[in-house]
Amino acid sequence: MLDAVDHARDLADFLAASPSSFHAAEEGARRLEAAGFTRQLESEPWRNDPGGRFLVRDGALLAWRVPAAAGPTSPYRIIGSHTDSTTFKLKPNPDFASDGWGQVGVEVYGGPLLNSWLDRELGLAGRLVLADGTVRLVRTGPIMRIPQLAIHLDRSVNDEGVRLGRQQHTAPVWLVGGERRSILDHLAGLAGVAATDLAGYDVLAYDTAAPAIFGIDDQFLAASRLDNLSSVHASITSLINSEPGDTITMLAAFDHEEIGSGSRSGAAGPLLSDALERISAALGAGTDERHRALAESYCLSADTGHAVHPNYPGRHDPVNRPLLGRGPLLKINANQRYATDARGTAVWQTACRAAGVTSQEFVSNNDVPCGSTIGPLTATRIGITTVDVGAPILSMHSARELAGVDDLRGLTLAMQAFLAG
């Protein structure tokens, strides 16, 4: 296992290669394939021989390892996460002009901190679908920017804060003066196809600034999309590095968590349940044997959580106050916004002890309701014990978030111990 800084550098490489969920899924697949995993096409018969497999569905990635001793009632150890992050998505007919500026029409995706996207060099990345059904991944370099209004034109901004209309104030500029051009023509050209061949697209904005490891002892990592590619990276790394045991080990990195998970590649869809059913069937399991396997299975739902913010201490629980550098989080909510219960807590603490990792508890201030994760969805749909965990960060849903390098490595080590059982 790499030391904490080298592990953070590897995460930085993963982030740089993953400007969209589609790129993240393919980068994860590339890493798995390099480690000896083979691609399983959903349209082909399911393989039942021992070894590592993976599949990509849109912006989601599933991977699993079947041990030589696996049988119809073999239980699963699953790590769930999500590949998408809050951002802006390219609208239909995205080209428009205003006062000599060429602008790009975008729709807010999820719940980003809008002001954090101002005055950054942005790119576009995602997938283009051609008339024949072919999919091309595409990404630009820095080509656009959402400019903030100068203080001379808004003297109250430092007292009253930045107030952004989602329609009027978030459209990036990408051209000025001269001949008008089409952003779709530009994307098609980068993909090596004609714009007339485009039949559909899912293209999103991303911050083009490179991740940075910094601090007097290199203790911090600042980057876009730590929520939640830090968990995706940890799950891929832990699955690759884990030793085969008696259980079927698995990762499920879903898309669309930031907008509710309701899609064919999201955690509310059938992707994981279908895969589990097909794996079990390939091992000869009937309905009763499959349910026996699930009764002894566990899932870690891995997503980032909030570290205590020194400038807003009252927004956090007065007792449970996670800090960067003190270990990954166990996330708890009485109303099951997180799926953690006592049984899952014991599984997580056992894994942390085996890995030599210290864990911290996160629970919300009662006056500040928390968000949710794929954890409750997975527990509800699959019916297995699920526990919510993740790395603590600051500036969640910002265009640039902040994590501690020790926590990121600790999360991976704990995941690896969890998979080992």
Side-chain angles (χ1 to χ4, degrees):
M1 179 70 179
L2 299 172
D3 67 23
V5 174
D6 285 338
H7 179 270
R9 291 193 181 106
D10 189 62
L11 170 57
D13 291 342
F14 182 77
L15 294 167
S18 306
S20 75
S21 60
F22 308 105
H23 288 82
E26 287 298 339
E27 172 62 12
R30 184 194 69 77
R31 290 178 174 229
L32 288 161
E33 198 161 31
F37 286 66
T38 57
R39 189 180 293 260
Q40 171 71 64
L41 297 178
E42 294 185 79
S43 58
E44 292 184 353
W46 219 258
R47 294 177 58 177
N48 64 357
D49 52 314
R53 314 275 185 267
F54 68 89
L55 69 84
V56 174
R57 178 188 285 185
D58 303 330
L61 171 69
L62 262 62
W64 60 96
R65 181 185 280 119
V66 178
T73 59
S74 294
Y76 295 85
R77 290 262 171 157
I78 305 167
I79 301 173
S81 62
H82 67 87
T83 57
D84 63 321
S85 300
T86 58
T87 180
F88 300 86
K89 188 174 184 181
L90 199 63
K91 285 185 173 182
N93 305 305
D95 298 302
F96 71 99
S98 177
D99 290 291
W101 291 94
Q103 293 186 266
V104 179
V106 293
E107 187 175 6
V108 177
Y109 179 93
L113 284 169
L114 295 177
N115 64 293
S116 72
W117 286 81
L118 301 177
D119 297 337
R120 293 180 180 273
E121 288 64 58
L122 306 177
L124 290 170
R127 66 175 176 179
L128 308 179
V129 181
L130 309 185
D132 63 0
T134 302
V135 176
R136 301 285 180 89
L137 295 190
V138 66
R139 68 183 296 173
T140 73
I143 61 167
M144 59 188 195
R145 182 181 174 101
I146 305 173
Q148 187 167 190
L149 186 65
I151 193 171
H152 311 81
L153 305 178
D154 184 5
R155 294 288 184 181
S156 65
V157 65
N158 285 334
D159 297 319
E160 299 179 6
V162 179
R163 298 185 179 183
L164 299 175
R166 288 173 170 246
Q167 178 63 40
Q168 182 177 358
H169 300 139
T170 63
V173 298
W174 82 296
L175 298 169
V176 62
E179 183 181 356
R180 291 187 61 184
R181 298 170 63 185
S182 164
I183 192 67
L184 293 179
D185 284 348
H186 182 68
L187 293 171
L190 292 176
V193 300
T196 53
D197 291 334
L198 296 185
Y201 54 87
D202 294 300
V203 175
L204 303 106
Y206 76 99
D207 179 14
T208 61
I213 296 171
F214 71 102
I216 192 168
D217 296 315
D218 287 338
Q219 70 267 49
F220 301 123
L221 172 64
S224 296
R225 304 180 298 284
L226 288 171
D227 177 15
N228 186 36
L229 293 185
S230 59
S231 298
V232 177
H233 172 265
S235 67
I236 293 169
T237 304
S238 61
L239 182 62
I240 289 172
N241 291 335
S242 62
E243 294 294 331
D246 297 331
T247 60
I248 300 168
T249 52
M250 191 173 192
L251 72 84
F254 300 100
D255 202 352
H256 301 131
E257 190 272 348
E258 297 293 0
I259 54 172
S261 297
S263 71
R264 80 185 208 109
S265 54
L271 178 59
L272 178 57
S273 59
D274 286 353
L276 292 172
E277 184 174 353
R278 294 181 76 175
I279 294 169
S280 292
L283 293 170
T287 300
D288 183 69
E289 290 165 314
R290 180 164 57 87
H291 284 285
R292 287 166 60 191
L294 293 178
E296 298 298 325
S297 298
Y298 297 93
C299 177
L300 289 186
S301 165
D303 205 342
T304 54
H306 301 291
V308 64
H309 196 304
N311 296 340
Y312 300 89
R315 299 299 178 93
H316 302 269
D317 182 75
V319 175
N320 299 283
R321 303 177 75 79
L323 197 64
L324 264 59
R326 292 188 179 174
L329 301 178
L330 174 67
K331 300 161 68 175
I332 300 164
N333 180 260
N335 297 301
Q336 285 289 287
R337 299 290 289 170
Y338 305 131
T340 304
D341 61 10
R343 191 165 182 241
T345 296
V347 170
W348 171 248
Q349 298 294 5
T350 298
C352 288
R353 283 195 298 271
V357 170
T358 301
S359 177
Q360 308 180 79
E361 288 80 20
F362 171 82
V363 64
S364 291
N365 183 307
N366 290 342
D367 294 324
V368 185
C370 71
S372 191
T373 68
I374 65 159
L377 287 171
T378 302
T380 301
R381 286 190 54 79
I382 311 299
I384 65 176
T385 298
T386 303
V387 53
D388 270 289
V389 301
I393 66 171
L394 289 180
S395 306
M396 187 183 294
H397 287 199
S398 171
R400 196 164 178 86
E401 298 160 327
L402 179 67
V405 299
D406 289 337
D407 304 322
L408 297 167
R409 183 175 184 268
L411 178 64
T412 302
L413 288 172
M415 285 182 176
Q416 194 167 318
F418 164 77
L419 292 176

